[in-house]
Amino acid sequence: MSRRGLLLMGQCMPCIKQNASKIRIRRMELDKNLNMVSSSFRKDHAAETQPFFLFSLQYFKKDEFYFAHDPQKVCKTGDVVLIRELPERLTRLITHAVEKVVYPLGDITDPLTGKKVVVGKYREDIEMANQLFGKSAKAFDYDKAPPRGRLEGTKDFTHGETYIKYHEDGKDQPFAV
């Protein structure tokens, strides 16, 4: 039984479970055994006799995977979602539930300002520059762009049921994991 009501933010990954989504939670883990020591920096440049050692702590990425109950299949592969731990496990693997989709894949939003971002610039800044200097004829128009899911079945296969590919039989298997 759950004692915590923690919310975790993670990215949805391809999953073969029915009514569940596989969520990757990325954390930074401190490696206590690895310390980088540098004697090139000195505390006092006038006193050359005592070296100052700079210790830098090393953090590494650590991925944890959780299966979250998602019967409506609201999250697709690549979406950033919030999950909450269930009071009781549904199955041996399903321990969390999907709360909501925070950021759908492909539509990047700055978490601090809430503004839409393209590469390293805000969309409104790009639009302001286009008004000042004139818009290129080949420029992409984000307001007229269709939402995600328009190419399902042709170029976007994130909606398809995934399965484990056990062997190569020469057939095309687009949904295999």
Side-chain angles (χ1 to χ4, degrees):
M1 184 149 158
S2 171
R3 285 177 248 116
R4 301 176 291 178
L6 294 178
L7 286 173
L8 298 173
M9 185 179 285
Q11 187 174 20
C12 187
M13 305 301 285
C15 178
I16 59 171
K17 292 272 180 211
Q18 296 294 322
N19 298 328
S21 295
K22 186 177 182 180
I23 309 296
R24 178 185 70 195
I25 308 294
R26 180 162 282 173
R27 297 182 180 179
M28 300 300 285
E29 186 176 272
L30 173 65
D31 188 352
K32 296 177 183 176
N33 297 324
L34 181 64
N35 285 326
M36 301 298 287
V37 179
S38 174
S39 62
S40 62
F41 296 101
R42 301 198 184 271
K43 193 184 285 186
D44 185 13
H45 293 289
E48 294 288 328
T49 57
Q50 296 216 349
F52 171 69
F53 291 103
L54 177 69
F55 290 92
S56 67
L57 302 175
Q58 299 293 310
Y59 288 88
F60 296 95
K61 293 178 191 173
K62 181 182 178 189
D63 292 339
E64 294 179 6
F65 293 94
Y66 294 100
F67 286 97
H69 186 59
D70 185 18
Q72 291 87 21
K73 288 289 185 189
V74 293
C75 58
K76 293 184 175 184
T77 302
D79 291 347
V80 177
V81 296
L82 279 177
I83 60 173
R84 183 185 302 272
E85 192 172 4
L86 292 170
E88 292 183 9
R89 290 180 170 208
L90 289 180
T91 65
R92 183 177 59 86
L93 292 175
I94 300 175
T95 58
H96 291 72
V98 174
E99 285 288 312
K100 71 174 191 172
V101 176
V102 181
Y103 303 119
L105 179 69
D107 203 15
I108 301 170
T109 306
D110 182 19
L112 298 176
T113 61
K115 298 177 183 177
K116 299 293 182 186
V117 178
V118 178
V119 185
K121 298 179 181 178
Y122 293 117
R123 282 189 193 170
E124 60 187 30
D125 294 343
I126 294 172
E127 291 171 5
M128 200 176 337
N130 287 340
Q131 289 175 357
L132 289 173
F133 303 111
K135 188 173 183 177
S136 171
K138 296 180 182 178
F140 186 78
D141 191 4
Y142 290 97
D143 296 329
K144 294 180 182 176
R148 181 178 175 207
R150 176 180 66 95
L151 297 174
E152 282 185 358
T154 56
K155 292 183 179 179
D156 179 17
F157 296 104
T158 58
H159 68 285
E161 293 290 327
T162 56
Y163 55 88
I164 297 174
K165 180 165 95 173
Y166 290 105
H167 64 300
E168 290 288 338
D169 58 355
K171 296 179 185 175
D172 186 29
Q173 299 180 14
F175 304 121
V177 178

